[in-house]
Amino acid sequence: ADKDGGWTLAVETPAAGYTPYEITFDDGEKTTLKNILIGEVWLASGQSNMEMPLKGFAGCCIMNGADDIIVSAENKGVRMFTVPKHQTYELQTDCKGSWNISSIETAPDFSATAYFATSLSRALRIPVGIICSAYGGSTVEGWISRELLENYPDISLNPDSIERLHPMLRPMLMYNAMLKPLQNYTIKGFIWYQGESNAHNTELHEILFPMLVNDWRNYWQQPEMPFYYVQLSSLNRPSWPWFRDSQRRILKAIPHSGMAVSSDLGDSLDVHPRHKKEIGERLARQALCHTYHRAILPSGPLFRKIKTEGKQAILEFDYAEDLKTADGQALRTFETAGDNGIFYPATAIIKGNRIIVESEKVSRPHAVRYGWQPFTRGNLVNKDNLPASTFRTDL
C-alpha cells in the first residue's frame, strides 16, 4: 500500500478454463466482480490498422467482417477490452473502459486485427482476453516513455512544441495515457500494428522500435516477453519497400519477436488493408509456434543467405518447406544487380528449398531483391501458402 491508500495484490489463479469465478473486495462495503474466466491475456497496440474495428471505418470495410460479427457469440472464451483514445502529459494510473464478452452487440466495435484472440482461444482451447490500446496515426514515439525520449534531442518534449504537432504525431502522450495504466495487468505478450506514420524515416524507426520493445518488456519486468508485429502491406508510397525490409531486418535485433507479412493483402491506394482476419491469423501463428510451442509454421519464407555461382544467385530461406508460387504462375518481382548497384528484372526458379536467380543483363550478381515495388505482387509462398517477405540481400 502507498501513502494515498492505493494497493496491489498478486493472486495465484486456478488453471485456465471456462468455469466462471467471482472476486469480492470488502473495505466495509462489498464490491463483487462476476463472470471472471481464467486464461491468457494479450495486449494489442499500434495505430489505425490495429484500431480498425470489425465494422470497419467509414468508406473502408473489413473483408468478411459482417460474417465474423454474426458468429461472434460463438467465441465463448474471448473477452475484449478497448482503452479509450487519450493523451496526457502526466503518467496515468487508470483508464476508462470495461471488459466485454464477444457478442453481436460488442464485436462490431472491437479491433479486427486483435480479434486474433479467437484463433488463439480455439487452438489452445482456453479463454483468451485481448486489451486493445491503439491510436490512429500515432508514431512509435507516441508509445515510448519520457525517460528514453529525452536521450534524443531531435525529439522535443516541450509542451509548446508538442502542441504544435498534429495530435496523432505527438511523442510520449499515448504512453502516458494508454499504456501506463495497464502496468499492473498480467499479460502474456504483445501484438503490434504500426509503422505507417514512421515509414518516411526508416533510420530513426530502426533505433526507436527496438527501444520501445525493450521499454515495454522492462515495464512488465519480463525481458523475454513475446512481441509480434505486422510488416506493412503493399501501398503506392515510395518508402514502403525500404521500410518493409527494415522491419524484416529488425527481427534479428529483437529476440523473442516475430513478424506477420501482409504485403499480399494490401491495396494500391488504401492504407487500411481489408483482410484483417488473415493478418490476425498470421499473428496467431507466431504466438502458437514461438510462445505455445505448437507444431505450426509461423511465417512465410524469410531470406537467410545468398551465394553466387557464375551468373546465378542462389538464395536460401527460413520456413522454406515446399516453396511454390501462390497462383501457379512463374515467380515474380525478383531483381538482381552487379557491382554497379543497378537492378534489373530477373528470372527466378525454385529448386527444392532454394531460389535460383539470374538476369542476362548481369554477368555476375552482387545483390538480389524481391517485392521491391511499393505495391508489390510477389508470389513466393511456402507449403502453408504464407507469403515471403520483401527483402534485399545487400542491406
Side-chain angles (χ1 to χ4, degrees), residues 237-346:
R237 293 184 181 176
S239 63
W240 279 41
W242 298 89
F243 194 83
R244 288 197 302 263
D245 191 48
S246 172
Q247 289 180 295
R248 177 190 65 84
R249 290 183 282 107
I250 284 175
L251 279 170
K252 295 181 180 179
I254 305 176
H256 310 290
S257 67
M259 182 182 74
V261 175
S262 67
S263 56
D264 60 321
L265 303 175
D267 185 290
S268 62
L269 298 176
D270 196 337
V271 75
H272 300 115
R274 301 174 62 199
H275 295 268
K276 292 293 190 292
K277 180 178 181 180
E278 291 86 344
I279 293 173
E281 289 172 347
R282 291 174 187 179
L283 287 167
R285 279 179 169 268
Q286 295 285 342
L288 289 170
C289 177
H290 297 306
T291 302
Y292 299 106
H293 309 296
R294 299 300 196 265
I296 186 172
L297 270 177
S299 172
L302 286 176
F303 168 72
R304 184 170 69 226
K305 67 178 182 180
I306 179 175
K307 68 176 182 179
T308 59
E309 293 182 0
K311 295 183 63 174
Q312 294 183 336
I314 303 170
L315 307 178
E316 295 184 11
F317 299 81
D318 294 320
Y319 312 121
E321 293 87 339
D322 298 331
L323 293 178
K324 59 183 179 178
T325 59
D327 52 9
Q329 305 297 314
L331 286 169
R332 297 190 294 266
T333 76
F334 279 90
E335 301 169 89
T336 186
D339 291 337
N340 61 6
I342 300 174
F343 281 90
Y344 297 96

Side-chain angles (χ1 to χ4, degrees), residues 95-110:
C95 63
K96 295 182 179 180
S98 61
W99 282 101
N100 288 301
I101 297 171
S102 179
S103 70
I104 198 168
E105 292 80 21
T106 63
D109 293 314
F110 200 70

Side-chain angles (χ1 to χ4, degrees), residues 48-332:
S48 58
N49 270 311
M50 184 63 84
E51 179 187 356
M52 190 174 183
L54 277 171
K55 66 183 181 182
F57 290 143
C60 185
C61 65
I62 297 291
M63 182 67 71
N64 300 320
D67 295 336
D68 289 328
I69 291 169
I70 289 170
V71 301
S72 58
E74 298 176 8
N75 300 312
K76 299 295 185 182
V78 175
R79 302 289 173 90
M80 305 170 290
F81 186 103
T82 300
V83 178
K85 292 168 65 175
H86 191 41
Q87 299 182 0
T88 61
Y89 286 93
E90 301 298 326
L91 292 170
Q92 303 298 300
T93 58
D94 200 3
C95 63
K96 295 182 179 180
S98 61
W99 282 101
N100 288 301
I101 297 171
S102 179
S103 70
I104 198 168
E105 292 80 21
T106 63
D109 293 314
F110 200 70
S111 163
T113 299
Y115 216 51
F116 104 124
T118 61
S119 297
L120 281 191
S121 181
R122 291 167 186 167
L124 300 175
R125 301 193 176 189
I126 60 173
V128 175
I130 187 85
I131 301 171
C132 183
S133 181
Y135 197 111
S138 60
T139 62
V140 69
E141 297 95 308
W143 299 95
I144 297 177
S145 64
R146 170 184 284 276
E147 289 75 16
L148 292 180
L149 292 177
E150 283 176 339
N151 297 316
Y152 294 87
D154 291 341
I155 302 174
S156 175
L157 301 181
N158 181 289
D160 291 336
S161 299
I162 292 177
E163 289 297 322
R164 287 194 290 269
L165 296 173
H166 190 285
M168 296 177 179
L169 306 179
R170 293 171 179 169
M172 84 175 176
L173 301 191
M174 294 79 174
Y175 177 96
N176 291 346
M178 299 177 66
L179 189 75
K180 178 66 176 177
L182 310 176
Q183 179 178 9
N184 291 322
Y185 210 104
T186 301
I187 61 175
K188 187 70 174 182
F190 310 101
I191 58 172
W192 174 260
Y193 196 164
Q194 191 275 342
E196 299 88 340
S197 293
N198 287 96
H200 63 284
N201 192 340
T202 298
E203 293 78 9
L204 180 62
H205 182 266
E206 288 179 354
I207 296 171
L208 294 181
F209 183 56
M211 181 190 303
L212 176 146
V213 176
N214 188 58
D215 193 23
W216 287 21
R217 286 170 171 172
N218 289 337
Y219 193 32
W220 267 269
Q221 300 180 356
Q222 295 187 54
E224 298 183 355
M225 210 166 191
F227 199 109
Y228 305 125
Y229 59 91
V230 182
Q231 185 188 51
L232 291 193
S233 67
S234 293
L235 186 73
N236 280 331
R237 293 184 181 176
S239 63
W240 279 41
W242 298 89
F243 194 83
R244 288 197 302 263
D245 191 48
S246 172
Q247 289 180 295
R248 177 190 65 84
R249 290 183 282 107
I250 284 175
L251 279 170
K252 295 181 180 179
I254 305 176
H256 310 290
S257 67
M259 182 182 74
V261 175
S262 67
S263 56
D264 60 321
L265 303 175
D267 185 290
S268 62
L269 298 176
D270 196 337
V271 75
H272 300 115
R274 301 174 62 199
H275 295 268
K276 292 293 190 292
K277 180 178 181 180
E278 291 86 344
I279 293 173
E281 289 172 347
R282 291 174 187 179
L283 287 167
R285 279 179 169 268
Q286 295 285 342
L288 289 170
C289 177
H290 297 306
T291 302
Y292 299 106
H293 309 296
R294 299 300 196 265
I296 186 172
L297 270 177
S299 172
L302 286 176
F303 168 72
R304 184 170 69 226
K305 67 178 182 180
I306 179 175
K307 68 176 182 179
T308 59
E309 293 182 0
K311 295 183 63 174
Q312 294 183 336
I314 303 170
L315 307 178
E316 295 184 11
F317 299 81
D318 294 320
Y319 312 121
E321 293 87 339
D322 298 331
L323 293 178
K324 59 183 179 178
T325 59
D327 52 9
Q329 305 297 314
L331 286 169
R332 297 190 294 266

